[in-house]
Amino acid sequence: MNPGSKTSILVIYTGGTIGMVKDPESGVLKPFNFDNIYQQIPMLKLLDYHIGNYCFDPVIDSSNMNPRFWAAIAEVIEKNYESYDGFVVLHGSDTMAYTASALSFMLENLNKPVVLTGSQLPLGMIRTDGRENFITSIEIAAARIDDTPVVPEVCIYFENQLLRGNRTIKYNAENFQAFKSPNYPSLADVGVYIKYHHANIRKPNFKNLKVNSRMDNSVSILKLYPGISENSVKAIVQTEGLKALILETFGSGNAPTEAWFLSLLEKTIKKGIIILNVSQCQGGSVEMDKYQTGVTLQNIGVISGNDITTEAAITKLMFLLANENSTPNIQKKLSISLRGEITTN
Ligand code: ASP
């Protein structure tokens, strides 16, 4: 930012309910173009910031999000990084936690705020939650102390809470409070004041931004359930080209100890496929040494996902597979926190 000049925020519009309108014929919600947003919130123009905008064409329902689109968002941020003080990404809430996680890995040495937000009701509706989400996100992206951004990380702002992006999950399809971060406290709570919890926020490292936009989606997720069949497990672990698998386990990382199951996993790991143990529980951590059912997984080479969310785990694997040159390096990086996505001590 030039001294004396206005704080500048780039709003990147990808789509989602916040900017949707009802199709008059079918009655279903469809993404609409960006001009709609300014028509709906004319007071945006009253904020004392320079607000630029970048609108994807076409805008999408976030169920159509994919790694190419993540790369495109990261590249827009990279191209505009020097010209703006912060970024607000308007995004559908359905896959927002995946995008926030992916961006956190792609944007290495991020020293400016990237705030994702959206809404449960479109801006055009009287009871919309989008107006407050959008305006407060801009305030957060613009917040600075001594010319240093207050929140230099990828985060999600939704219904009065600012959460670390790669710790967040969408857990409610209809409450305005749609997101939570079960294993990491909020970065800020918003009421009359925006109360930042500075101790929870990542510190800037003042290094140059490095954008790693490549992702390798040779990954899959196997969610366990009592009664899972050998054929179902086989179908997943024998997927052509598979390089890494998230095993969504019970409780603190437990799985059946049946011989056929363990032998399938062992063969998979011997083929060089990484298996990461992530709990189906939203809160708490994988602790494979707690029960015999976890120890057996550890013994065959399954890696602990610690307290990572599935959203962060899948995007971290895509990121590591595309950017690391050896399996041991990937295994090592899975056990450490790259962007605050797991608790290590
Ligand atoms: N289906 C919408 C989307 O994720 C829901 C939303 O925006 O809240 O794009």
Side-chain angles (χ1 to χ4, degrees):
M1 188 180 67
N2 301 324
S5 70
K6 276 189 181 178
T7 302
S8 57
I9 303 299
L10 183 66
V11 175
I12 302 169
Y13 178 44
T14 68
T17 297
I18 191 158
M20 287 189 183
V21 281
K22 246 192 196 151
D23 183 276
E25 276 158 34
S26 62
V28 297
L29 289 172
K30 291 198 335 199
F32 196 64
N33 76 32
F34 196 81
D35 302 338
N36 189 40
I37 286 178
Y38 279 98
Q39 273 167 29
Q40 300 300 338
I41 327 185
M43 68 271 262
L44 269 181
K45 300 202 174 104
L46 300 177
L47 290 172
D48 194 26
Y49 307 130
H50 164 68
I51 299 178
N53 55 62
Y54 181 96
C55 184
F56 277 93
D57 183 18
V59 287
I60 59 163
D61 184 298
S62 77
S63 304
N64 284 318
M65 194 46 70
N66 58 49
R68 269 176 290 113
F69 211 121
W70 293 333
I73 302 171
E75 280 156 19
V76 171
I77 293 171
E78 182 177 31
K79 275 200 193 107
N80 292 282
Y81 195 69
E82 294 310 324
S83 321
Y84 287 90
D85 299 301
F87 301 85
V88 171
V89 181
L90 299 178
H91 192 290
S93 63
D94 289 349
T95 62
M96 192 184 288
Y98 291 90
T99 298
S101 300
L103 289 177
S104 76
F105 298 116
M106 286 175 159
L107 303 173
E108 193 173 336
N109 301 329
L110 180 69
N111 284 296
K112 293 188 178 184
V114 173
V115 186
L116 281 83
T117 195
S119 67
Q120 293 280 56
L121 284 177
L123 279 175
M125 293 181 72
I126 294 174
R127 289 182 53 249
T128 185
D129 51 328
R131 200 171 304 123
E132 195 280 325
N133 285 349
F134 189 16
I135 292 172
T136 305
S137 295
I138 291 178
E139 293 278 350
I140 291 168
R144 300 170 80 81
I145 294 177
D146 296 335
D147 215 26
T148 302
V150 175
V151 193
E153 58 172 296
V154 180
C155 43
I156 289 183
Y157 178 71
F158 223 88
E159 190 64 10
N160 303 332
Q161 274 195 305
L162 184 70
L163 306 172
R164 174 166 295 161
N166 57 30
R167 291 293 197 143
T168 304
I169 53 173
K170 181 173 181 184
Y171 81 104
N172 199 299
E174 54 187 51
N175 279 4
F176 284 158
Q177 190 133 42
F179 290 90
K180 65 181 175 185
S181 163
N183 286 327
Y184 196 76
S186 62
L187 307 185
D189 290 299
V190 177
V192 172
Y193 303 105
I194 301 178
K195 288 200 176 139
Y196 291 100
H197 306 305
H198 296 280
N200 302 339
I201 300 173
R202 280 169 76 74
K203 303 283 168 276
N205 66 6
F206 303 107
K207 291 187 186 161
N208 289 340
L209 177 74
K210 183 173 172 227
V211 176
N212 314 285
S213 51
R214 284 183 319 125
M215 291 292 223
D216 183 342
N217 70 349
S218 314
V219 293
S220 197
I221 301 176
L222 173 59
K223 179 169 180 157
L224 297 180
Y225 50 89
I228 194 165
S229 73
E230 189 167 348
N231 279 345
S232 299
V233 176
K234 261 191 191 156
I236 302 271
V237 296
Q238 293 173 0
T239 302
E240 181 96 27
L242 185 72
K243 294 183 188 159
L245 177 72
I246 291 174
L247 189 65
E248 271 203 7
T249 53
F250 308 122
S252 53
N254 305 310
T257 47
E258 284 175 81
W260 66 263
F261 177 75
L262 293 172
S263 126
L264 270 179
L265 293 192
E266 198 169 3
K267 279 189 202 139
T268 306
I269 292 169
K270 286 211 170 115
K271 280 200 281 180
I273 297 171
I274 291 164
I275 302 187
L276 183 67
N277 186 344
V278 176
S279 175
Q280 292 176 18
C281 294
Q282 293 180 346
S285 184
V286 164
E287 291 176 83
M288 285 197 283
D289 46 9
K290 202 164 168 187
Y291 296 96
Q292 187 54 42
T293 43
V295 170
T296 40
L297 293 181
Q298 202 169 27
N299 289 344
I300 59 171
V302 172
I303 298 169
S304 171
N306 208 315
D307 61 352
I308 200 165
T309 62
T310 297
E311 290 83 337
I314 197 86
T315 51
K316 185 172 180 178
L317 280 172
M318 289 185 193
F319 164 75
L320 291 176
L321 287 171
N323 294 285
E324 291 298 327
N325 49 15
S326 74
T327 305
N329 276 354
I330 298 177
Q331 287 167 329
K332 201 172 90 205
K333 294 212 163 155
L334 284 172
S335 309
I336 58 175
S337 162
L338 300 181
R339 311 279 190 264
E341 73 281 5
I342 54 174
T343 308
T344 48
N345 36 35

